[in-house]
Amino acid sequence: MAVAPPSCCLVAFPPRAKDGLVVFGKNSARPRDEVQEVVYFPAANHEPQSKVQCTYISIDQVPRSHAIVISRPAWLWGAEMGANEHGVCIANGAINAREPAAETEALLGMDLVRLGLERGSTAKEALDIIVALLEEHGQGGNYYEDADSCHSFQSAYLIVDRDEAWVLETVGRYWAAEKTTEGVKCICNQLSITTKIDAEHRELRSYAQSQGWWTGEDEFNFSEVFSPADEHLDCCAGKDSLEKQEESITVQTMIDILRDKASGVCIDSESFLTTASIVSVLPQNRSSPCIHYFTGTPDPSRSIFKPFIFVGDIKLVPKAQSPCFGDNDPAKKEPRFQEKPDRRHELYKAHEWARAVIANDQEQGRQLRKTMLELEKQGLAAMEELLTSSEPLDPTEVGDLFYDCVDTEIKFFK
């Protein structure tokens, strides 16, 4: 069974989070050489009976899809994490379970993240959409751009809006979900739902019994029933980090946790690297905008978190998007992945230089990182001011926000 990449998804609700804010974050652990891009898709109307081509299969399209911004491995259709115009954030993690994941191509967990964002206007609606699609189409296929081996996993999701969060954990077409409205919650690369189950597949328990994994007499504990027999259920490093915070959790707190390599939240190992990160702040006061900070580059300890706000006229950011290979993309042709094209975007290439300097030149690297953090600090302060302002948001001032931040970062590196 392939080792699931150790991504970490977190959320904190008031009063643990500061000033009536819900704070959401994720580190996406993926193969070290994989490029992630940050892409905005505007809301769109679709023709009746039309289809949408996901990573491996096509499914029925809906009449209208919401505006979304996502961070995704550049070779696939779905998303590792992202947000939509209604203040819904979704992230997923690969997990291993007692039942091996299917290698047959179906929906990837990452496809379901994007579909949930495109179609759900609340966390609960996104949850319902994801499980309906999971039950209809199943999940399966290669999680990596690798021609030599199929790496398939089950999926867990953290689905959040201004009011609540749902942890959704899946095994094949079966699933269980737990609702949270307070405190902190984290998902890592193993099952975490135990006996508090707020929604589930109608045949979940009978399926467990039919496999001989549950007698029907003991209390039903989802993670104990469906985890691999040899798996030791560790505490999640991200949850530990959140729970250790003595002060209110802020955007800066979440960024600091995602940068922490010593705790194991930020991954930099022989096989895996945190290839992109997100932090979102969702004010429970609906007159304030949700703000989503993306790195678009690997290793959050050496990256800048850049803000994005949904407004009507968003300026696209081609410098954070990978080259498009169309129908000639080796990920779209069968047999798949026979070649591995250069998917680096302009921001990624500029950041490669910065990472090399930080790694190889102590003094110059220290100065460079200090300046990067100053740039980020300015952006965070401006967004904090926007959240606390009594003035209504001026859409013309933030439509170029992410574009300008990416542009400034690239110019700085050059």
Side-chain angles (χ1 to χ4, degrees):
M1 192 179 287
V3 176
S7 292
C8 187
C9 315
L10 313 122
V11 67
F13 283 88
R16 293 292 290 115
K18 184 186 174 189
D19 298 339
L21 305 176
V22 178
V23 185
F24 166 89
K26 179 187 176 181
N27 271 351
S28 173
R30 299 284 300 170
R32 292 190 64 88
D33 61 346
E34 188 175 79
V35 177
Q36 283 203 37
E37 58 180 353
V38 179
V39 194
Y40 167 76
F41 295 95
N45 295 315
H46 305 284
E47 292 294 323
Q49 281 85 53
S50 62
K51 298 280 186 180
V52 56
Q53 177 63 50
C54 303
T55 302
Y56 296 130
I57 65 168
S58 65
I59 65 170
D60 292 338
Q61 184 57 284
V62 289
R64 183 169 175 81
S65 52
H66 306 312
I68 64 169
V69 61
I70 57 175
S71 183
R72 67 176 181 185
W75 63 270
L76 54 74
W77 179 86
E80 274 282 293
M81 52 217 179
N84 72 19
E85 61 185 307
H86 299 290
V88 177
C89 297
I90 309 179
N92 89 316
I95 51 174
N96 288 319
R98 202 165 201 162
E99 182 171 289
E103 295 188 3
T104 306
E105 292 184 350
L107 290 174
L108 286 177
M110 293 164 283
D111 292 337
L112 287 163
V113 170
R114 178 170 170 180
L115 290 163
L117 290 171
E118 287 188 339
R119 301 179 181 196
S121 58
T122 66
K124 180 59 166 62
E125 188 176 18
L127 168 78
D128 292 341
I129 285 159
I130 289 171
V131 298
L133 290 169
L134 177 70
E135 290 182 22
E136 182 179 356
H137 300 286
Q139 59 181 322
N142 205 340
Y143 261 59
Y144 302 157
E145 190 180 14
D146 185 352
D148 297 326
S149 182
C150 183
H151 311 264
S152 57
F153 302 100
Q154 313 289 7
S155 291
Y157 306 82
L158 186 59
I159 309 169
V160 180
D161 63 21
R162 297 176 192 251
D163 301 312
E164 63 187 28
W166 286 86
V167 173
L168 167 65
E169 296 180 342
T170 67
V171 179
R173 294 176 194 246
Y174 297 92
W175 57 273
E178 179 185 352
K179 178 181 171 180
T180 299
T181 56
E182 58 185 23
V184 298
K185 206 72 187 172
C186 176
I187 61 169
C188 298
N189 61 336
Q190 58 187 18
L191 296 173
S192 65
I193 295 174
T194 56
T195 57
K196 183 183 178 294
I197 300 174
D198 296 302
E200 64 187 79
H201 188 287
R202 62 197 171 280
E203 296 172 7
L204 177 70
R205 299 182 192 219
S206 59
Y207 179 71
Q209 279 186 283
S210 73
Q211 299 299 305
W213 299 335
W214 181 55
T215 62
E217 295 170 6
D218 305 327
E219 186 177 23
F220 185 78
N221 182 315
F222 179 77
S223 61
E224 281 187 6
V225 169
F226 282 97
S227 292
D230 59 351
E231 182 165 280
H232 174 65
L233 296 176
D234 297 317
C235 205
C236 173
K239 190 163 184 276
D240 277 357
S241 298
L242 278 177
E243 288 177 342
K244 283 177 187 169
Q245 300 301 318
E246 293 180 2
E247 297 179 3
S248 294
I249 293 161
T250 63
V251 170
Q252 186 65 63
T253 314
M254 189 66 81
I255 288 173
D256 292 343
I257 289 170
L258 295 183
R259 285 180 167 149
D260 187 3
K261 290 185 177 177
S263 70
V265 173
C266 181
I267 300 299
D268 189 352
S269 68
E270 193 176 323
S271 304
F272 300 115
L273 179 68
T274 297
T275 54
S277 305
I278 182 177
V279 170
S280 294
V281 56
L282 314 175
Q284 293 188 313
N285 176 358
R286 280 168 165 70
S287 64
S288 297
C290 298
I291 304 174
H292 313 283
Y293 300 86
F294 292 88
T295 59
T297 52
D299 190 348
S301 71
R302 298 171 179 179
S303 290
I304 299 173
F305 284 81
K306 299 166 281 292
F308 176 99
I309 297 175
F310 282 95
V311 289
D313 189 17
I314 295 285
K315 188 170 184 178
L316 300 179
V317 189
K319 291 176 182 177
Q321 291 178 228
S322 296
C324 179
F325 300 97
D327 291 337
N328 291 319
D329 194 316
K332 293 180 180 176
K333 296 193 292 189
E334 295 190 51
R336 298 194 196 277
F337 313 128
Q338 298 305 297
E339 299 170 56
K340 212 166 186 180
D342 184 356
R343 300 188 187 274
R344 294 174 302 159
H345 45 75
E346 196 172 336
L347 174 64
Y348 188 98
K349 289 178 181 177
H351 184 261
E352 275 185 317
W353 171 82
R355 277 197 294 154
V357 169
I358 292 170
N360 299 322
D361 186 324
Q362 277 195 325
E363 183 52 37
Q364 191 186 0
R366 212 171 13 247
Q367 288 299 321
L368 178 62
R369 190 166 185 276
K370 183 181 174 185
T371 312
M372 288 168 70
L373 292 176
E374 277 299 318
L375 273 176
E376 181 183 273
K377 191 176 177 182
Q378 290 169 20
L380 289 172
M383 294 303 101
E384 178 74 19
E385 196 176 312
L386 193 152
L387 282 177
T388 54
S389 171
S390 57
E391 298 294 315
L393 179 72
D394 181 354
T396 60
E397 289 187 1
V398 296
D400 298 357
L401 181 62
F402 190 69
Y403 179 96
D404 289 342
C405 290
V406 169
D407 203 48
T408 301
E409 183 176 346
I410 290 171
K411 285 174 181 170
F412 163 67
F413 290 146
K414 286 182 175 175

Short mmCIF file of all heavy atoms in Angstrom, two decimals, residues 251-303:
data_model
loop_
_atom_site.label_atom_id
_atom_site.label_comp_id
_atom_site.label_asym_id
_atom_site.label_seq_id
_atom_site.Cartn_x
_atom_site.Cartn_y
_atom_site.Cartn_z
N VAL A 251 -4.58 34.85 11.60
CA VAL A 251 -3.99 34.46 10.32
C VAL A 251 -2.49 34.20 10.50
O VAL A 251 -1.94 33.21 10.01
CB VAL A 251 -4.23 35.54 9.24
CG1 VAL A 251 -3.41 35.27 7.99
CG2 VAL A 251 -5.70 35.63 8.88
N GLN A 252 -1.82 35.10 11.24
CA GLN A 252 -0.38 34.93 11.46
C GLN A 252 -0.07 33.65 12.22
O GLN A 252 0.89 32.94 11.92
CB GLN A 252 0.18 36.14 12.23
CG GLN A 252 1.70 36.11 12.37
CD GLN A 252 2.42 36.23 11.03
OE1 GLN A 252 2.30 37.22 10.34
NE2 GLN A 252 3.15 35.18 10.64
N THR A 253 -0.92 33.32 13.22
CA THR A 253 -0.74 32.06 13.96
C THR A 253 -0.79 30.87 13.01
O THR A 253 0.05 29.96 13.07
CB THR A 253 -1.85 31.88 15.02
OG1 THR A 253 -2.05 33.08 15.75
CG2 THR A 253 -1.53 30.74 15.96
N MET A 254 -1.81 30.87 12.13
CA MET A 254 -1.98 29.75 11.20
C MET A 254 -0.79 29.66 10.25
O MET A 254 -0.28 28.56 9.97
CB MET A 254 -3.28 29.91 10.42
CG MET A 254 -3.66 28.69 9.60
SD MET A 254 -4.05 27.22 10.59
CE MET A 254 -5.75 27.56 11.06
N ILE A 255 -0.32 30.80 9.76
CA ILE A 255 0.85 30.80 8.87
C ILE A 255 2.07 30.24 9.61
O ILE A 255 2.82 29.41 9.06
CB ILE A 255 1.13 32.24 8.35
CG1 ILE A 255 0.06 32.65 7.34
CG2 ILE A 255 2.52 32.33 7.72
CD1 ILE A 255 0.14 34.11 6.88
N ASP A 256 2.26 30.66 10.86
CA ASP A 256 3.41 30.16 11.63
C ASP A 256 3.33 28.65 11.84
O ASP A 256 4.35 27.95 11.77
CB ASP A 256 3.47 30.87 12.99
CG ASP A 256 3.82 32.35 12.87
OD1 ASP A 256 4.33 32.74 11.80
OD2 ASP A 256 3.56 33.10 13.83
N ILE A 257 2.13 28.13 12.10
CA ILE A 257 1.95 26.68 12.27
C ILE A 257 2.29 25.95 10.97
O ILE A 257 3.00 24.93 10.97
CB ILE A 257 0.52 26.35 12.72
CG1 ILE A 257 0.30 26.80 14.17
CG2 ILE A 257 0.21 24.86 12.57
CD1 ILE A 257 -1.15 26.73 14.64
N LEU A 258 1.83 26.48 9.83
CA LEU A 258 2.09 25.83 8.55
C LEU A 258 3.58 25.87 8.19
O LEU A 258 4.05 25.03 7.40
CB LEU A 258 1.27 26.50 7.44
CG LEU A 258 -0.26 26.36 7.54
CD1 LEU A 258 -0.94 27.01 6.34
CD2 LEU A 258 -0.70 24.89 7.65
N ARG A 259 4.33 26.82 8.75
CA ARG A 259 5.76 26.92 8.46
C ARG A 259 6.62 26.04 9.37
O ARG A 259 7.83 25.94 9.18
CB ARG A 259 6.20 28.38 8.62
CG ARG A 259 5.76 29.26 7.47
CD ARG A 259 6.20 30.70 7.64
NE ARG A 259 6.04 31.40 6.36
CZ ARG A 259 5.75 32.68 6.24
NH1 ARG A 259 5.59 33.44 7.32
NH2 ARG A 259 5.62 33.23 5.05
N ASP A 260 6.01 25.39 10.35
CA ASP A 260 6.75 24.69 11.39
C ASP A 260 7.20 23.30 10.94
O ASP A 260 6.39 22.37 10.88
CB ASP A 260 5.88 24.61 12.65
CG ASP A 260 6.64 24.04 13.84
OD1 ASP A 260 7.86 23.77 13.70
OD2 ASP A 260 6.01 23.87 14.89
N LYS A 261 8.48 23.16 10.64
CA LYS A 261 9.01 21.86 10.21
C LYS A 261 9.26 20.93 11.40
O LYS A 261 9.11 19.72 11.28
CB LYS A 261 10.30 22.06 9.41
CG LYS A 261 10.05 22.70 8.05
CD LYS A 261 11.29 22.78 7.20
CE LYS A 261 10.94 23.36 5.83
NZ LYS A 261 12.12 23.55 4.97
N ALA A 262 9.62 21.50 12.54
CA ALA A 262 9.94 20.68 13.71
C ALA A 262 8.74 19.86 14.17
O ALA A 262 8.88 18.71 14.60
CB ALA A 262 10.43 21.57 14.85
N SER A 263 7.53 20.42 14.03
CA SER A 263 6.32 19.72 14.47
C SER A 263 5.87 18.65 13.48
O SER A 263 5.07 17.78 13.82
CB SER A 263 5.18 20.73 14.65
OG SER A 263 4.76 21.22 13.39
N GLY A 264 6.37 18.74 12.25
CA GLY A 264 5.92 17.81 11.21
C GLY A 264 4.76 18.34 10.39
O GLY A 264 4.27 17.65 9.48
N VAL A 265 4.32 19.57 10.65
CA VAL A 265 3.23 20.16 9.86
C VAL A 265 3.75 20.56 8.47
O VAL A 265 3.07 20.37 7.46
CB VAL A 265 2.61 21.37 10.58
CG1 VAL A 265 1.59 22.08 9.68
CG2 VAL A 265 1.93 20.93 11.88
N CYS A 266 4.94 21.15 8.44
CA CYS A 266 5.57 21.51 7.16
C CYS A 266 6.51 20.39 6.74
O CYS A 266 7.46 20.06 7.45
CB CYS A 266 6.34 22.82 7.30
SG CYS A 266 7.11 23.38 5.77
N ILE A 267 6.21 19.77 5.62
CA ILE A 267 6.92 18.56 5.18
C ILE A 267 8.06 18.91 4.22
O ILE A 267 7.87 19.64 3.25
CB ILE A 267 5.94 17.59 4.49
CG1 ILE A 267 4.82 17.18 5.45
CG2 ILE A 267 6.67 16.36 3.96
CD1 ILE A 267 5.27 16.47 6.70
N ASP A 268 9.23 18.36 4.53
CA ASP A 268 10.39 18.49 3.64
C ASP A 268 11.21 17.22 3.82
O ASP A 268 12.19 17.18 4.54
CB ASP A 268 11.18 19.74 4.02
CG ASP A 268 12.28 20.06 2.99
OD1 ASP A 268 12.50 19.23 2.08
OD2 ASP A 268 12.91 21.12 3.11
N SER A 269 10.76 16.14 3.17
CA SER A 269 11.38 14.83 3.35
C SER A 269 11.95 14.34 2.02
O SER A 269 11.86 15.03 1.00
CB SER A 269 10.35 13.82 3.87
OG SER A 269 9.37 13.56 2.88
N GLU A 270 12.50 13.17 2.02
CA GLU A 270 13.08 12.61 0.80
C GLU A 270 12.02 12.42 -0.29
O GLU A 270 12.28 12.65 -1.47
CB GLU A 270 13.73 11.27 1.13
CG GLU A 270 14.63 10.74 0.02
CD GLU A 270 15.34 9.46 0.44
OE1 GLU A 270 15.72 9.33 1.62
OE2 GLU A 270 15.50 8.59 -0.43
N SER A 271 10.81 12.03 0.11
CA SER A 271 9.76 11.74 -0.86
C SER A 271 8.80 12.91 -1.10
O SER A 271 8.33 13.12 -2.21
CB SER A 271 8.92 10.55 -0.38
OG SER A 271 9.73 9.42 -0.16
N PHE A 272 8.50 13.66 -0.03
CA PHE A 272 7.44 14.67 -0.10
C PHE A 272 7.93 16.05 0.30
O PHE A 272 8.88 16.19 1.08
CB PHE A 272 6.27 14.27 0.81
CG PHE A 272 5.65 12.95 0.47
CD1 PHE A 272 5.71 11.89 1.35
CD2 PHE A 272 5.00 12.77 -0.75
CE1 PHE A 272 5.13 10.66 1.04
CE2 PHE A 272 4.42 11.55 -1.07
CZ PHE A 272 4.49 10.49 -0.17
N LEU A 273 7.23 17.04 -0.23
CA LEU A 273 7.49 18.44 0.09
C LEU A 273 6.14 19.15 0.18
O LEU A 273 5.20 18.80 -0.54
CB LEU A 273 8.34 19.08 -1.01
CG LEU A 273 8.71 20.56 -0.88
CD1 LEU A 273 9.67 20.77 0.30
CD2 LEU A 273 9.37 21.06 -2.18
N THR A 274 6.04 20.12 1.09
CA THR A 274 4.85 20.98 1.06
C THR A 274 4.97 21.85 -0.18
O THR A 274 5.75 22.79 -0.23
CB THR A 274 4.76 21.85 2.33
OG1 THR A 274 4.62 21.00 3.47
CG2 THR A 274 3.56 22.78 2.25
N THR A 275 4.21 21.50 -1.23
CA THR A 275 4.38 22.17 -2.53
C THR A 275 3.53 23.43 -2.68
O THR A 275 3.73 24.20 -3.61
CB THR A 275 4.07 21.21 -3.69
OG1 THR A 275 2.76 20.66 -3.50
CG2 THR A 275 5.08 20.07 -3.76
N ALA A 276 2.57 23.65 -1.76
CA ALA A 276 1.77 24.88 -1.77
C ALA A 276 0.99 24.93 -0.47
O ALA A 276 0.75 23.90 0.18
CB ALA A 276 0.83 24.93 -2.96
N SER A 277 0.57 26.14 -0.10
CA SER A 277 -0.17 26.34 1.15
C SER A 277 -1.27 27.38 0.96
O SER A 277 -1.19 28.22 0.06
CB SER A 277 0.77 26.79 2.27
OG SER A 277 1.84 25.90 2.44
N ILE A 278 -2.27 27.31 1.84
CA ILE A 278 -3.36 28.29 1.86
C ILE A 278 -3.70 28.61 3.30
O ILE A 278 -3.62 27.74 4.18
CB ILE A 278 -4.62 27.76 1.13
CG1 ILE A 278 -5.75 28.80 1.09
CG2 ILE A 278 -5.13 26.48 1.78
CD1 ILE A 278 -6.99 28.34 0.33
N VAL A 279 -4.05 29.86 3.56
CA VAL A 279 -4.71 30.27 4.80
C VAL A 279 -5.88 31.16 4.40
O VAL A 279 -5.73 32.05 3.57
CB VAL A 279 -3.75 31.04 5.74
CG1 VAL A 279 -4.53 31.66 6.91
CG2 VAL A 279 -2.66 30.13 6.28
N SER A 280 -7.06 30.89 4.96
CA SER A 280 -8.25 31.71 4.69
C SER A 280 -8.81 32.23 5.99
O SER A 280 -8.81 31.53 7.00
CB SER A 280 -9.33 30.89 3.96
OG SER A 280 -8.90 30.52 2.67
N VAL A 281 -9.31 33.47 5.95
CA VAL A 281 -10.00 34.04 7.11
C VAL A 281 -11.43 34.35 6.68
O VAL A 281 -11.66 35.02 5.68
CB VAL A 281 -9.25 35.28 7.66
CG1 VAL A 281 -9.04 36.34 6.61
CG2 VAL A 281 -9.98 35.85 8.86
N LEU A 282 -12.38 33.77 7.43
CA LEU A 282 -13.80 33.88 7.10
C LEU A 282 -14.50 34.60 8.25
O LEU A 282 -14.81 33.99 9.28
CB LEU A 282 -14.42 32.49 6.91
CG LEU A 282 -13.62 31.48 6.06
CD1 LEU A 282 -14.31 30.12 6.06
CD2 LEU A 282 -13.45 31.99 4.64
N PRO A 283 -14.74 35.91 8.12
CA PRO A 283 -15.42 36.64 9.20
C PRO A 283 -16.86 36.17 9.38
O PRO A 283 -17.58 35.99 8.39
CB PRO A 283 -15.38 38.10 8.73
CG PRO A 283 -14.37 38.14 7.63
CD PRO A 283 -14.39 36.80 7.00
N GLN A 284 -17.27 35.94 10.62
CA GLN A 284 -18.65 35.53 10.85
C GLN A 284 -19.62 36.69 10.61
O GLN A 284 -20.80 36.46 10.36
CB GLN A 284 -18.78 34.94 12.26
CG GLN A 284 -18.00 33.63 12.38
CD GLN A 284 -18.24 32.89 13.67
OE1 GLN A 284 -18.20 33.47 14.75
NE2 GLN A 284 -18.47 31.58 13.59
N ASN A 285 -19.11 37.91 10.64
CA ASN A 285 -19.88 39.08 10.23
C ASN A 285 -19.91 39.14 8.70
O ASN A 285 -18.89 39.37 8.06
CB ASN A 285 -19.23 40.35 10.80
CG ASN A 285 -19.91 41.62 10.33
OD1 ASN A 285 -20.86 41.60 9.54
ND2 ASN A 285 -19.42 42.76 10.81
N ARG A 286 -21.07 38.94 8.12
CA ARG A 286 -21.16 38.80 6.66
C ARG A 286 -20.93 40.09 5.89
O ARG A 286 -20.83 40.08 4.66
CB ARG A 286 -22.52 38.18 6.28
CG ARG A 286 -22.50 36.68 6.47
CD ARG A 286 -23.85 36.03 6.39
NE ARG A 286 -23.73 34.59 6.24
CZ ARG A 286 -23.31 33.76 7.18
NH1 ARG A 286 -22.95 34.24 8.37
NH2 ARG A 286 -23.21 32.47 6.96
N SER A 287 -20.82 41.21 6.57
CA SER A 287 -20.52 42.45 5.86
C SER A 287 -19.02 42.57 5.56
O SER A 287 -18.60 43.42 4.79
CB SER A 287 -20.98 43.66 6.67
OG SER A 287 -20.26 43.75 7.88
N SER A 288 -18.22 41.71 6.19
CA SER A 288 -16.77 41.70 5.93
C SER A 288 -16.41 40.64 4.91
O SER A 288 -17.01 39.57 4.90
CB SER A 288 -16.00 41.43 7.23
OG SER A 288 -16.22 42.44 8.17
N PRO A 289 -15.42 40.91 4.05
CA PRO A 289 -15.06 39.94 3.01
C PRO A 289 -14.22 38.80 3.56
O PRO A 289 -13.48 38.96 4.54
CB PRO A 289 -14.23 40.78 2.03
CG PRO A 289 -13.58 41.82 2.90
CD PRO A 289 -14.59 42.14 3.97
N CYS A 290 -14.32 37.64 2.94
CA CYS A 290 -13.40 36.53 3.20
C CYS A 290 -12.09 36.82 2.45
O CYS A 290 -12.12 37.32 1.32
CB CYS A 290 -13.99 35.21 2.72
SG CYS A 290 -15.52 34.76 3.55
N ILE A 291 -10.98 36.49 3.08
CA ILE A 291 -9.66 36.73 2.46
C ILE A 291 -8.91 35.40 2.43
O ILE A 291 -8.84 34.69 3.44
CB ILE A 291 -8.86 37.79 3.25
CG1 ILE A 291 -9.67 39.08 3.37
CG2 ILE A 291 -7.52 38.06 2.54
CD1 ILE A 291 -9.01 40.14 4.25
N HIS A 292 -8.35 35.09 1.28
CA HIS A 292 -7.67 33.81 1.07
C HIS A 292 -6.21 34.08 0.67
O HIS A 292 -5.96 34.78 -0.31
CB HIS A 292 -8.37 33.01 -0.02
CG HIS A 292 -9.87 32.98 0.16
ND1 HIS A 292 -10.48 32.16 1.10
CD2 HIS A 292 -10.87 33.69 -0.43
CE1 HIS A 292 -11.78 32.37 1.06
NE2 HIS A 292 -12.04 33.28 0.15
N TYR A 293 -5.29 33.53 1.43
CA TYR A 293 -3.86 33.74 1.18
C TYR A 293 -3.26 32.47 0.59
O TYR A 293 -3.32 31.41 1.20
CB TYR A 293 -3.14 34.07 2.49
CG TYR A 293 -3.63 35.30 3.20
CD1 TYR A 293 -4.72 35.23 4.07
CD2 TYR A 293 -3.00 36.53 3.03
CE1 TYR A 293 -5.17 36.36 4.75
CE2 TYR A 293 -3.45 37.66 3.70
CZ TYR A 293 -4.53 37.58 4.56
OH TYR A 293 -4.98 38.69 5.23
N PHE A 294 -2.66 32.60 -0.59
CA PHE A 294 -2.02 31.47 -1.27
C PHE A 294 -0.52 31.72 -1.40
O PHE A 294 -0.10 32.86 -1.61
CB PHE A 294 -2.58 31.30 -2.70
CG PHE A 294 -4.00 30.85 -2.77
CD1 PHE A 294 -5.04 31.77 -2.76
CD2 PHE A 294 -4.32 29.50 -2.86
CE1 PHE A 294 -6.37 31.36 -2.85
CE2 PHE A 294 -5.64 29.09 -2.94
CZ PHE A 294 -6.67 30.02 -2.93
N THR A 295 0.28 30.64 -1.33
CA THR A 295 1.71 30.78 -1.64
C THR A 295 1.94 30.59 -3.15
O THR A 295 2.66 31.37 -3.76
CB THR A 295 2.56 29.77 -0.86
OG1 THR A 295 2.13 28.43 -1.18
CG2 THR A 295 2.45 30.00 0.64
N GLY A 296 1.38 29.53 -3.73
CA GLY A 296 1.64 29.22 -5.14
C GLY A 296 3.04 28.70 -5.37
O GLY A 296 3.45 28.47 -6.51
N THR A 297 3.79 28.48 -4.29
CA THR A 297 5.18 28.03 -4.37
C THR A 297 5.44 27.05 -3.23
O THR A 297 4.73 27.02 -2.24
CB THR A 297 6.15 29.22 -4.24
OG1 THR A 297 5.82 29.98 -3.06
CG2 THR A 297 6.09 30.12 -5.47
N PRO A 298 6.52 26.23 -3.36
CA PRO A 298 6.79 25.22 -2.35
C PRO A 298 7.39 25.79 -1.06
O PRO A 298 8.02 26.85 -1.08
CB PRO A 298 7.82 24.30 -3.03
CG PRO A 298 7.84 24.70 -4.47
CD PRO A 298 7.39 26.11 -4.51
N ASP A 299 7.21 25.04 0.02
CA ASP A 299 7.81 25.31 1.32
C ASP A 299 7.36 26.65 1.90
O ASP A 299 7.97 27.69 1.64
CB ASP A 299 9.35 25.25 1.25
CG ASP A 299 9.98 25.28 2.64
OD1 ASP A 299 9.27 25.57 3.63
OD2 ASP A 299 11.19 25.03 2.73
N PRO A 300 6.29 26.65 2.71
CA PRO A 300 5.78 27.90 3.25
C PRO A 300 6.78 28.66 4.11
O PRO A 300 6.67 29.87 4.27
CB PRO A 300 4.56 27.46 4.08
CG PRO A 300 4.80 26.01 4.37
CD PRO A 300 5.55 25.48 3.20
N SER A 301 7.80 27.94 4.65
CA SER A 301 8.81 28.65 5.45
C SER A 301 9.71 29.51 4.58
O SER A 301 10.45 30.36 5.08
CB SER A 301 9.66 27.64 6.25
OG SER A 301 10.51 26.91 5.40
N ARG A 302 9.63 29.30 3.26
CA ARG A 302 10.42 30.09 2.32
C ARG A 302 9.53 30.70 1.23
O ARG A 302 9.98 30.93 0.11
CB ARG A 302 11.51 29.20 1.69
CG ARG A 302 12.48 28.67 2.72
CD ARG A 302 13.42 27.63 2.15
NE ARG A 302 14.36 27.16 3.17
CZ ARG A 302 15.29 26.24 2.97
NH1 ARG A 302 15.41 25.68 1.79
NH2 ARG A 302 16.11 25.87 3.95
N SER A 303 8.27 30.90 1.57
CA SER A 303 7.31 31.45 0.60
C SER A 303 6.57 32.63 1.20
O SER A 303 6.57 32.84 2.42
CB SER A 303 6.28 30.38 0.19
OG SER A 303 6.87 29.37 -0.60
#
